[in-house]
């Protein structure tokens, strides 16, 4: 009788462990998907900033150019905060989606 009881307890513990690991993996995949979505959104935002800054430089409009660069730097700070929080997810997203040339250029200048 006690052997059956211990076998059932062991089976329950193994089942709970498997469920925990499965849910942990699902949670990690969902958070990776959210991070990748945010990464891609940031790339689109930086592409828009690149086009706008290029246009303002060509027009010679320094007032708007400075405002646009300040807004870009604020967006870039949010991006770097996110990157520092999850370096593994960032590396994975960068491998799949490639980082914007504009960001790489500004990172080298900073």
């Amino acid at each position: 009788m006690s052997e059956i009881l211990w076998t059932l307890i062991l089976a329950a513990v193994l089942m709970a462990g498997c469920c925990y690991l499965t849910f942990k993996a699902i949670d990690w995949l969902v958070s990776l998907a959210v991070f990748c979505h945010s990464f891609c959104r940031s790339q689109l935002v930086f592409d828009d900033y690149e086009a706008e800054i290029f246009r303002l430089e060509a027009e010679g409009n320094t007032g708007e150019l400075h405002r646009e660069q300040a807004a870009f730097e604020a967006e870039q700070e949010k991006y770097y905060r996110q990157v520092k929080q999850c370096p593994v997810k960032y590396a994975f997203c960068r491998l799949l989606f490639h980082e914007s040339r504009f960001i790489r250029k500004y990172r080298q200048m900073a």
Side-chain angles (χ1 to χ4, degrees):
M1 179 71 179
S2 74
E3 290 178 17
I4 294 174
L5 183 62
W6 284 111
T7 305
L8 290 174
I9 291 173
L10 180 62
V13 168
L14 288 175
M15 185 66 119
C18 289
C19 288
Y20 173 77
L21 291 176
T22 301
F23 286 124
K24 198 71 169 163
I26 291 170
D27 178 53
W28 190 82
L29 288 173
V30 168
S31 70
L32 179 64
V34 169
F35 187 89
C36 286
H37 178 268
S38 178
F39 181 84
C40 290
R41 184 198 137 293
S42 294
Q43 299 308 307
L44 294 174
V45 168
F46 294 140
D47 289 344
D48 291 344
Y49 276 117
E50 179 181 17
E52 189 65 21
I53 288 173
F54 180 75
R55 182 185 67 80
L56 291 172
E57 284 176 347
E59 290 176 357
N61 191 344
T62 57
E64 273 191 55
L65 178 63
H66 290 300
R67 280 193 298 274
E68 196 70 26
Q69 285 176 333
F72 168 72
E73 288 172 3
E75 189 71 31
Q76 194 176 24
E77 284 298 317
K78 289 192 312 189
Y79 175 75
Y80 287 138
R81 255 194 326 270
Q82 180 184 18
V83 165
K84 288 177 185 176
Q85 286 177 352
C86 307
V88 173
K89 292 176 187 173
Y90 168 68
F92 180 78
C93 289
R94 211 171 123 196
L95 179 70
L96 288 180
F97 301 111
H98 304 290
E99 194 170 37
S100 171
R101 285 176 299 138
F102 194 54
I103 290 296
R104 281 183 265 154
K105 182 175 82 173
Y106 268 85
R107 184 182 306 146
Q108 291 170 357
M109 293 172 73

